[in-house]
Coordinates of all heavy atoms in Angstrom, one line a residue:
S1 N 19.0 -29.5 54.7 CA 18.7 -29.5 56.1 C 17.4 -30.3 56.4 O 16.7 -30.6 55.5 CB 18.6 -28.1 56.7 OG 17.4 -27.5 56.1
G2 N 17.2 -30.7 57.7 CA 16.0 -31.3 58.1 C 16.0 -32.8 57.8 O 17.0 -33.4 57.3
P3 N 14.9 -33.5 58.1 CA 14.8 -34.9 58.0 C 14.6 -35.4 56.6 O 14.2 -34.6 55.7 CB 13.6 -35.3 58.9 CG 12.7 -34.1 58.8 CD 13.7 -32.9 58.8
D4 N 14.8 -36.6 56.3 CA 14.5 -37.2 55.0 C 13.0 -37.3 54.7 O 12.2 -37.4 55.7 CB 15.1 -38.6 54.9 CG 16.6 -38.6 54.6 OD1 17.2 -37.5 54.3 OD2 17.2 -39.7 54.7
L5 N 12.7 -37.3 53.5 CA 11.3 -37.7 53.1 C 11.1 -39.2 53.4 O 12.0 -40.0 53.3 CB 11.1 -37.4 51.6 CG 10.9 -36.0 51.1 CD1 10.7 -36.1 49.6 CD2 9.8 -35.2 51.8
T6 N 9.8 -39.5 53.6 CA 9.4 -40.9 53.6 C 8.3 -41.1 52.6 O 7.7 -40.1 52.1 CB 8.9 -41.3 55.0 OG1 7.7 -40.5 55.4 CG2 10.0 -41.2 56.1
V7 N 8.0 -42.3 52.3 CA 6.9 -42.6 51.4 C 6.0 -43.7 51.9 O 6.5 -44.7 52.4 CB 7.4 -42.9 49.9 CG1 8.2 -44.2 49.9 CG2 6.3 -42.9 48.9
D8 N 4.7 -43.6 51.7 CA 3.8 -44.6 52.1 C 3.1 -45.1 50.8 O 2.5 -44.3 50.1 CB 2.7 -44.0 53.1 CG 1.6 -45.0 53.4 OD1 2.0 -46.2 53.8 OD2 0.4 -44.7 53.3
V9 N 3.3 -46.3 50.5 CA 2.7 -46.9 49.3 C 1.5 -47.8 49.8 O 1.8 -48.9 50.3 CB 3.7 -47.7 48.5 CG1 3.1 -48.3 47.3 CG2 4.9 -46.8 48.1
K10 N 0.3 -47.4 49.5 CA -0.9 -48.1 50.0 C -1.7 -48.6 48.8 O -2.1 -47.9 48.0 CB -1.7 -47.2 50.9 CG -3.0 -47.9 51.5 CD -3.8 -47.0 52.3 CE -5.0 -47.7 52.9 NZ -5.8 -46.8 53.7
K11 N -1.9 -49.9 48.8 CA -2.7 -50.5 47.7 C -4.2 -50.3 48.1 O -4.6 -50.8 49.2 CB -2.4 -52.0 47.5 CG -3.2 -52.6 46.3 CD -2.8 -54.1 46.1 CE -1.6 -54.2 45.3 NZ -1.3 -55.6 44.9
I12 N -4.9 -49.6 47.3 CA -6.3 -49.4 47.6 C -7.3 -50.1 46.7 O -8.5 -50.0 46.8 CB -6.6 -47.8 47.5 CG1 -6.3 -47.3 46.1 CG2 -5.9 -47.1 48.6 CD1 -6.7 -45.8 45.9
G13 N -6.7 -50.9 45.8 CA -7.6 -51.7 44.9 C -6.8 -52.9 44.3 O -5.7 -52.7 43.9
D14 N -7.4 -54.0 44.3 CA -6.7 -55.2 43.8 C -7.8 -56.1 43.2 O -8.4 -56.9 43.9 CB -5.9 -56.0 44.9 CG -5.1 -57.1 44.3 OD1 -5.3 -57.5 43.1 OD2 -4.3 -57.7 45.1
R15 N -8.1 -56.0 41.9 CA -9.1 -56.8 41.2 C -8.4 -57.9 40.4 O -7.6 -57.5 39.5 CB -10.0 -55.9 40.3 CG -10.8 -54.9 41.1 CD -11.6 -54.1 40.1 NE -12.5 -53.2 40.8 CZ -13.8 -53.1 40.6 NH1 -14.4 -53.9 39.7 NH2 -14.6 -52.3 41.3
P16 N -8.6 -59.1 40.7 CA -7.9 -60.2 40.1 C -8.3 -60.3 38.6 O -9.4 -59.9 38.2 CB -8.3 -61.4 40.9 CG -9.6 -61.1 41.4 CD -9.6 -59.6 41.7
S17 N -7.4 -60.9 37.8 CA -7.7 -61.1 36.4 C -7.7 -62.6 36.1 O -7.5 -63.5 37.0 CB -6.7 -60.5 35.5 OG -5.4 -60.9 35.9
G18 N -8.1 -63.0 34.9 CA -8.1 -64.4 34.6 C -9.1 -64.6 33.4 O -9.6 -63.7 32.8
K19 N -9.4 -65.9 33.1 CA -10.2 -66.2 31.9 C -10.9 -67.5 32.2 O -10.4 -68.5 32.6 CB -9.3 -66.3 30.7 CG -10.0 -66.7 29.4 CD -8.9 -66.7 28.3 CE -9.6 -67.0 26.9 NZ -8.6 -67.0 25.8
T20 N -12.2 -67.5 31.8 CA -13.0 -68.7 31.7 C -12.9 -69.1 30.2 O -13.4 -68.3 29.4 CB -14.4 -68.5 32.2 OG1 -14.5 -68.2 33.5 CG2 -15.2 -69.8 32.0
E21 N -12.3 -70.2 29.9 CA -12.1 -70.5 28.5 C -13.5 -70.6 27.8 O -14.5 -71.1 28.3 CB -11.4 -71.9 28.4 CG -10.0 -71.9 28.9 CD -9.1 -71.0 28.0 OE1 -9.4 -70.8 26.8 OE2 -8.0 -70.5 28.5
P22 N -13.5 -70.1 26.5 CA -14.8 -70.1 25.8 C -15.4 -71.5 25.5 O -16.5 -71.6 25.1 CB -14.4 -69.4 24.5 CG -12.9 -69.4 24.4 CD -12.4 -69.5 25.8
T23 N -14.5 -72.5 25.7 CA -15.0 -73.9 25.4 C -15.7 -74.5 26.7 O -16.4 -75.5 26.6 CB -13.9 -74.8 25.1 OG1 -12.8 -74.7 26.1 CG2 -13.3 -74.5 23.7
V24 N -15.6 -73.8 27.8 CA -16.3 -74.2 29.1 C -17.8 -74.2 28.9 O -18.4 -73.3 28.3 CB -15.9 -73.3 30.2 CG1 -16.7 -73.5 31.5 CG2 -14.4 -73.5 30.6
P25 N -18.5 -75.2 29.4 CA -20.0 -75.3 29.1 C -20.7 -74.0 29.5 O -21.6 -73.6 28.7 CB -20.4 -76.5 30.1 CG -19.2 -77.3 30.1 CD -18.0 -76.4 30.1
L26 N -20.4 -73.3 30.6 CA -21.1 -72.1 31.0 C -21.0 -71.1 29.9 O -22.0 -70.4 29.5 CB -20.6 -71.6 32.3 CG -21.2 -70.2 32.8 CD1 -22.7 -70.4 33.0 CD2 -20.5 -69.8 34.0

């Protein structure tokens, strides 16, 4: 009985990834 469930999916964090190659001058 009653209504269906709903779901809220909220992204609260998004830290990007990647790489500075070790051969780069810095």
Side-chain angles (χ1 to χ4, degrees):
S1 64
D4 282 350
L5 288 180
T6 61
V7 65
D8 177 49
V9 180
K10 182 180 180 181
K11 185 178 278 189
I12 58 175
D14 186 350
R15 293 177 176 234
S17 56
K19 180 178 183 178
T20 299
E21 292 295 337
T23 53
V24 167
L26 177 59

